[in-house]
Amino acid sequence: MKTRIAIFASGNGSNAENIIRYFLKRDTAEVLLVLSNSPKAKVLERAKALNISVVTFSKEDFYMSESVLNRLLNEKIDWIILAGFLLKFPEPILQHFKNKVINIHPALLPKYGGKGMYGMNIHKAIVEKKESETGITIHFVNENYDEGKIIFQAKTEVLGTDTPEIIAKKIHTLEQQYFPKVIENLITENPQDTRLRGHMQ
Ligand code: GAR
């Protein structure tokens, strides 16, 4: 039986789409739901175009009611993937999905994590601090921002001439290359995949 995945995203949704498409061709898992706190998020169009059910919710629904949790339970979701999701994840959902919620962060945690550190803010900070490398971190989600156990990291070089936009492209390439495979390895408990072993924590 395929593992059942739900994706939470707040914006563009390039990672969500890449994950959906990857698992359409695999027999290990499938994406059943895409959930967003933003009714205008492009991720919703991307998901609908691929015939994936979408759910939108307000902050109040998310933190003060059980509607989102109930939807996840009704759909018998096994794993939750945060792909550009910008709200803090509520404790009651984390408790139901212990060690089954993972996030991607566009930097090498523990550097450039925490509140306010997302998307272009991070890439601007990387340029300002003249970092020579950056990368992606895939990690378990716990009650603190960006502090759960690290599952995987991949690095990319930052040149002195790189703008935040160039760095964003490099990060995007890493995310597209690795995120679905790391998810698949984790849910099938197959860490011996040689292509990824060098980066696994
Ligand atoms: C991605 O780069 C993801 O790593 C980042 O938001 C972007 C979403 O892009 N996430 C965070 O900054 C979370 N702190 P997408 O909507 O095109 O997938």
Side-chain angles (χ1 to χ4, degrees):
M1 227 175 48
K2 290 186 183 186
T3 301
R4 298 167 72 83
I5 293 175
I7 300 177
F8 282 74
S10 299
N12 179 31
S14 67
N15 279 285
E17 179 170 346
N18 188 39
I19 295 164
I20 294 166
R21 287 187 185 279
Y22 179 88
F23 285 109
L24 282 175
K25 291 186 251 142
R26 313 289 295 172
D27 57 12
T28 46
E30 61 187 325
V31 177
L32 275 301
L33 272 186
V34 168
L35 302 99
S36 183
N37 57 306
S38 170
K40 293 197 188 127
K42 186 160 176 208
V43 69
L44 299 172
E45 286 164 39
R46 292 181 189 260
K48 282 186 219 162
L50 292 165
N51 288 322
I52 307 294
S53 302
V54 300
V55 176
T56 55
F57 53 84
S58 64
K59 263 190 179 177
E60 198 178 9
D61 289 338
F62 198 38
Y63 295 120
M64 310 296 284
S65 84
E66 296 202 328
S67 62
V68 174
L69 175 60
N70 287 337
R71 184 67 192 261
L72 295 168
L73 297 176
N74 287 343
E75 299 278 353
K76 300 193 171 22
I77 295 302
D78 301 304
W79 285 81
I80 294 173
I81 310 298
L82 310 189
F85 184 63
L86 300 179
L87 296 182
K88 196 166 165 20
F89 219 64
E91 195 114 349
I93 305 184
L94 286 176
Q95 267 162 22
H96 265 85
F97 290 87
K98 251 196 165 30
N99 294 323
K100 293 281 173 64
V101 184
I102 68 174
N103 179 44
I104 190 160
H105 187 78
L108 296 169
L109 290 174
K111 288 173 104 177
Y112 300 98
K115 211 166 168 49
M117 278 292 147
Y118 59 88
M120 289 304 280
N121 291 353
I122 296 176
H123 311 321
K124 283 181 191 151
I126 297 279
V127 170
E128 270 162 29
K129 297 271 183 213
K130 299 191 185 347
E131 295 284 357
S132 59
E133 62 178 20
T134 184
I136 58 168
T137 302
I138 297 169
H139 63 94
F140 288 106
V141 175
N142 67 15
E143 42 308 320
N144 299 318
Y145 266 99
D146 303 330
E147 286 180 14
K149 185 171 179 283
I150 292 174
I151 299 159
F152 173 90
Q153 289 186 311
K155 290 180 185 173
T156 184
E157 194 183 1
V158 178
L159 304 175
T161 49
D162 281 357
T163 59
E165 290 74 21
I166 291 173
I167 296 173
K169 280 202 182 117
K170 290 180 173 179
I171 292 295
H172 180 79
T173 302
L174 289 180
E175 292 183 334
Q176 297 282 306
Q177 182 181 356
Y178 288 113
F179 199 15
K181 289 178 188 153
V182 171
I183 294 166
E184 188 173 42
N185 269 8
L186 200 61
I187 65 188
T188 58
E189 292 179 335
N190 185 25
Q192 68 271 28
D193 184 325
T194 48
R195 283 163 307 162
L196 299 175
R197 187 162 44 193
H199 305 278
M200 283 287 188
Q201 297 288 302

